[in-house]
């Protein structure tokens, strides 16, 4: 066999090997590198969600009709572990929590899409505390406008907000007079302090996004802020009683049902869903 024929034979063999590798790598599923939004998911792909969440509801409503298999996990971290292992091609989950997960670069994950579901968290108040509510709304707008909000968000979630919360109250001026708090010069905040990175107790100190944001709001209002730990399901009745704390900051989703018994501030964080995939 001449040199030219040997070269052609080697080239043909190499092409066959590369073709086989390509076929075995696909595994009948969309390659992660090609997924930039949920529109890229194909029939047969698997996405992970946490059981009983808005993310699961959204995925089943919008993806199962395309033939995408929705795999539910009891803990969202199990869904992210499955993504790292290649058992699923993506995870649908609350954006802020996903940002907290992917900031750990060793996981090798990236958020490629914010999915608009119009969910947001708000601070909560007794319906008798309109002055405090409006004061917090004013201060929140100030913290957003001067860039403090973005810095706090980036510190806790590893990147800037993909979308900013929008004020709905129309409050543009700081309310005059006393805030009507239980203790003059202090806002006592009720919170279920077991939901990092929003609030968590470390070495006896409450830390988190909600804590830093409330401290920044307190600075604008010229008052100190103190967090007290309570069970989540006791927060609404607690703020209604008005004897232990002045308001709630506990990653509480604004809902029409809750509005029947408490007042909410303007949204302080958008909690839309997101699609996370493996980074390439």
């Amino acid at each position: 066999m001449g040199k030219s024929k040997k070269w052609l034979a080697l080239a043909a063999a190499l092409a066959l090997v590369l073709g086989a590798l390509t076929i075995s790598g696909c595994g009948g599923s969309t390659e992660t590198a090609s997924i930039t939004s949920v529109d890229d998911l194909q029939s047969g792909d698997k996405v992970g969600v946490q059981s009983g969440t808005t993310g699961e509801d959204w995925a089943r409503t919008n993806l199962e009709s395309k033939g995408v298999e929705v795999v539910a996990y009891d803990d969202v971290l199990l869904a992210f572990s499955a993504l790292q292992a290649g058992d699923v091609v993506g995870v649908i989950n609350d954006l802020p929590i996903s940002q907290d997960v992917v900031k750990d670069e060793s996981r090798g994950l990236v958020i490629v899409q914010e999915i608009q579901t119009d969910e947001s968290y708000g601070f909560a108040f007794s319906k008798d505390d309109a002055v405090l509510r409006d004061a917090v709304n004013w201060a929140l707008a100030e913290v957003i406008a001067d860039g403090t909000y973005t810095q706090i968000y980036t510190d806790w979630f590893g990147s800037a907000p993909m979308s900013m919360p929008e004020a709905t109250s129309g409050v543009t001026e700081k309310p005059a007079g006393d805030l009507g708090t239980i203790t003059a010069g202090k806002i006592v905040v009720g919170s279920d302090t077991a939901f990092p990175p929003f609030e968590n107790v470390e070495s006896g100190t409450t830390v988190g996004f909600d804590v830093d944001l409330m401290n920044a709001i307190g600075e604008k209002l010229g008052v100190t802020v103190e967090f007290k730990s309570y069970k989540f399901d006791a927060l609404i009745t607690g703020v209604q009683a008005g004897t232990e704390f002045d308001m709630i900051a506990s990653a509480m989703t604004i809902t029409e049902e809750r509005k029947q018994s408490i007042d909410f501030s303007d949204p302080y964080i958008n909690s839309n869903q997101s699609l996370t995939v493996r980074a390439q």
Side-chain angles (χ1 to χ4, degrees), residues 79-268:
F80 283 111
S81 294
L83 176 58
Q84 289 176 252
D87 296 331
V88 296
V89 300
V91 169
I92 305 291
N93 186 58
D94 287 5
L95 174 62
I97 303 301
S98 296
Q99 286 180 305
D100 185 52
V101 171
V102 305
K103 73 181 182 184
D104 179 357
E105 295 181 357
S106 67
R107 291 183 179 274
L109 305 177
V110 61
I111 297 170
V112 293
Q113 183 185 12
E114 178 177 13
I115 302 168
Q116 296 294 329
T117 53
D118 297 326
E119 297 171 85
S120 57
Y121 297 160
F123 302 123
F125 307 82
S126 164
K127 287 185 174 292
D128 296 327
D129 284 341
V131 174
L132 179 59
R133 179 201 64 205
D134 290 348
V136 169
N137 279 335
W138 171 82
L140 174 61
E142 292 291 305
V143 169
I144 291 174
D146 69 13
T148 302
Y149 177 93
T150 297
Q151 184 58 58
I152 294 171
Y153 192 106
T154 303
D155 288 344
W156 283 102
F157 299 106
S159 58
M162 297 182 75
S163 65
M164 296 293 286
E166 296 185 4
T168 57
S169 65
V171 174
T172 58
E173 295 183 359
K174 179 181 177 180
D178 182 50
L179 296 178
T181 55
I182 296 170
T183 303
K186 178 191 289 188
I187 298 175
V188 180
V189 179
S191 182
D192 185 346
T193 52
F195 191 57
F198 287 94
E199 45 267 321
N200 193 42
V201 177
E202 296 181 359
S203 301
T205 301
T206 306
V207 298
F209 173 78
D210 285 358
V211 179
D212 285 357
L213 183 56
M214 276 305 307
N215 284 334
I217 287 171
E219 287 186 21
K220 295 291 184 182
L221 295 173
V223 299
T224 60
V225 174
E226 177 187 348
F227 269 69
K228 285 190 174 182
S229 297
Y230 291 84
K231 292 294 185 182
F232 191 85
D233 58 6
L235 288 172
I236 289 179
T237 55
V239 80
Q240 288 174 323
T243 57
E244 298 292 330
F245 52 91
D246 300 298
M247 59 174 284
I248 299 168
S250 195
M252 184 173 284
T253 303
I254 299 171
T255 67
E256 292 302 320
E257 181 180 2
R258 287 174 176 155
K259 285 181 180 180
Q260 301 303 309
S261 53
I262 53 175
D263 281 348
F264 278 103
S265 68
D266 290 331
Y268 72 86

Side-chain angles (χ1 to χ4, degrees), residues 38-44 62-68:
V38 292
D39 293 335
D40 295 323
L41 296 173
Q42 299 176 7
S43 179
N62 294 277
L63 299 180
E64 285 187 331
S65 61
K66 296 174 55 176
V68 176

